[in-house]
Amino acid sequence: MQSAYLQSLQNQIKFQRETLLNHPLYSHITQPEHIRCFMKHHAFAVWDFMSLVKYLQSSLTQTQWPWFPKSNPHLTRLINEIVLGEESDLHPKGGYTSHFELYIEAMKQCGAETEPILKFTSLFQNKRSLEASFEQANTPSGPKEFVSFTLQLLTLNKLHCTASVFTFGREDLIPDLFLKILDHFKQQDQKPFELFKYYLERHIEVDGEEHGQMALQLLETVCENSEEKWNEATDYANKALQARIRLWDFILYQIKKTN
């Protein structure tokens, strides 16, 4: 049974969530080129998701040696289950893959432009600063703003805020968003988009049935009965949804330019 704090949070983010679920972006995905445009920019959100996951894993489990047990094995189990699926999920052709690598493979299969995300991640991995990586990779403004929000959140080092963004900006939200995209995607010639379709359906299945509930449990545990933590968690859940709305606005604008 959900706590009163959690129910209150969900009520306070309902408007932002409904705005996302009714965003005009979905109805404008009517051509294969629109899907490729969506993927080009959405890839940044696929990438920065793993930073959220890894922050939670490093906070809730022992990732350094020498090893010592954490105080809450239930949370350790929850986040490790999520990491297992996100970082080493089943590949439809056999073997294992991270969801980000699967997404890049899906982009290449359908001819979506991968250079922006791959150039940015290469620069950032090679110890460029975030701003320098954005600038040198010529990162589009929409993805740049979205990634900046995520990484700035992590520098706050507030577990409950990150857990809230992870839960309500990603795990609890993604299945419903991807269902919307899939509904319009069905109008397309799907053969070049087989991996993208698998990616969408896999997230709907895993996040909707397993990871979403795990994330809710995680958030309730880290916030406990602290009114201050729940208030901050609510604030950041709304900020995460607003960041997604702005990203969707940006992608819609880019799709309209392709017409």
Side-chain angles (χ1 to χ4, degrees):
M1 183 176 178
Q2 292 181 347
S3 70
Y5 284 117
L6 179 56
Q7 291 175 15
S8 174
L9 186 157
Q10 290 172 319
N11 286 334
Q12 291 182 67
I13 67 171
K14 186 175 181 180
F15 175 78
Q16 303 281 12
R17 198 176 193 281
E18 289 300 316
T19 298
L20 266 173
L21 294 179
N22 294 294
H23 198 282
L25 169 65
Y26 314 113
S27 62
H28 281 77
I29 300 177
T30 60
Q31 301 174 23
E33 185 57 36
H34 298 162
I35 301 176
R36 288 190 279 268
C37 180
F38 173 85
M39 296 177 77
K40 171 185 174 181
H41 301 295
H42 178 246
F44 286 83
V46 178
W47 172 78
D48 80 351
F49 172 77
M50 283 307 300
S51 291
L52 284 171
V53 174
K54 285 300 182 179
Y55 173 92
L56 292 171
Q57 187 183 36
S58 65
S59 300
L60 299 171
T61 73
Q62 181 71 27
T63 57
Q64 305 293 323
W65 67 274
W67 179 89
F68 300 101
K70 287 283 188 175
S71 59
N72 194 323
H74 179 66
L75 289 184
T76 298
R77 176 74 180 194
L78 284 179
I79 193 60
N80 281 340
E81 286 275 1
I82 292 171
V83 170
L84 178 67
E86 298 291 345
E87 196 170 29
S88 55
D89 201 5
L90 295 170
H91 193 289
K93 297 179 182 179
Y96 304 95
T97 184
S98 70
H99 286 173
F100 174 70
E101 290 166 303
L102 178 64
Y103 200 89
I104 296 299
E105 191 177 345
M107 292 176 74
K108 291 177 178 178
Q109 183 187 58
C110 73
E113 189 178 352
T114 60
E115 183 180 2
I117 181 62
L118 293 181
K119 187 173 183 180
F120 164 74
T121 53
S122 176
L123 288 165
F124 200 30
Q125 185 175 14
N126 286 304
K127 304 190 185 307
R128 300 291 199 279
S129 72
L130 179 61
E131 286 303 319
S133 299
F134 281 145
E135 183 176 353
Q136 293 177 41
N138 198 25
T139 303
S141 61
K144 177 181 177 180
E145 181 184 352
F146 190 87
V147 170
S148 295
F149 166 75
T150 301
L151 299 190
Q152 287 168 8
L153 162 73
L154 300 182
T155 64
L156 295 176
N157 200 26
K158 290 189 174 184
L159 177 59
H160 56 289
C161 293
T162 302
S164 183
V165 170
F166 173 74
T167 301
F168 294 107
R170 308 295 177 112
E171 295 295 89
D172 180 66
L173 177 70
I174 290 300
D176 290 336
L177 292 189
F178 283 4
L179 277 170
K180 291 279 189 178
I181 294 169
L182 196 60
D183 283 344
H184 292 281
F185 171 70
K186 289 174 181 176
Q187 304 171 26
Q188 317 300 324
D189 173 15
Q190 292 188 22
K191 190 171 182 180
F193 299 96
E194 287 175 343
L195 283 177
F196 182 54
K197 181 171 181 286
Y198 174 84
Y199 172 88
L200 294 175
E201 292 176 338
R202 184 65 176 154
H203 271 78
I204 291 166
E205 174 190 359
V206 175
D207 292 348
E209 296 180 4
E210 300 173 12
H211 291 181
Q213 287 302 311
M214 289 178 180
L216 288 170
Q217 291 177 43
L218 190 156
L219 180 64
E220 286 201 284
T221 304
V222 299
C223 286
E224 301 176 305
N225 292 315
S226 169
E227 186 170 351
E228 179 181 359
K229 287 183 178 180
W230 279 108
N231 286 339
E232 289 189 325
T234 301
D235 182 40
Y236 271 89
N238 267 316
K239 286 180 178 178
L241 294 172
Q242 290 163 6
R244 177 77 63 166
I245 291 169
R246 290 192 295 271
L247 179 62
W248 263 209
D249 289 344
F250 175 84
I251 295 175
L252 175 59
Y253 176 74
Q254 298 302 316
I255 284 176
K256 287 181 176 179
K257 286 169 60 176
T258 68
N259 294 331

